[in-house]
Amino acid sequence: MQVEVLHIQDCPSWREAGARLEVALAEAGIDAAVEYRLLEDPADLAGTVFAGSPTIVVDGADLFPAAEPIRELACRVYPTPAGLRGMPDTEQLVTALRALAPGG
């Protein structure tokens, strides 16, 4: 399983999103490393599912596909139980990751 966090430099949420993702992978029992890809230019968006920073991508697909891909370097917000936030909470990540597992 390939797991990436697509992000822009000015995004205040990408580091914490990656840390939560690493915890969620462990809780979901998935042995995968998190890779981080810095997007610095709109040309870097070609061929990605980037929907704002941070976008969490698993095997080439947005883990939270409700958002449409965008073609600008911008931040993203996620609906969470606590309202709109710059990243999903850990339980949302665990749930989404478990749904990808066989029999999920």
Side-chain angles (χ1 to χ4, degrees), residues 1 51-52 55 58 67 70 72 74 88 90-91 98:
M1 179 178 282
T55 296
V58 177
I70 61 173
E72 59 189 49
T90 303
E91 188 56 40
R98 285 185 176 150

Side-chain angles (χ1 to χ4, degrees), residues 14-76:
W14 71 269
R15 284 184 182 92
E16 179 64 25
R20 289 181 186 186
L21 181 57
E22 290 175 6
V23 169
L25 285 163
E27 286 186 25
I30 298 171
D31 183 24
V34 177
E35 298 176 27
Y36 298 87
R37 186 171 6 153
L38 174 62
L39 305 172
E40 299 179 281
D41 184 274
D44 294 339
L45 304 176
T48 71
V49 294
F50 186 71
S53 181
T55 296
I56 299 164
V57 179
V58 177
D59 292 336
D62 189 338
L63 188 60
F64 297 91
E68 292 292 320
I70 61 173
R71 295 293 158 226
E72 59 189 49
L73 301 173
C75 291
R76 178 174 181 172

Side-chain angles (χ1 to χ4, degrees), residues 97-104:
L97 290 166
R98 285 185 176 150
L100 296 178

Side-chain angles (χ1 to χ4, degrees), residues 72-90:
E72 59 189 49
L73 301 173
C75 291
R76 178 174 181 172
V77 293
Y78 290 83
T80 74
L84 293 177
R85 299 289 185 262
M87 70 202 94
D89 67 27
T90 303

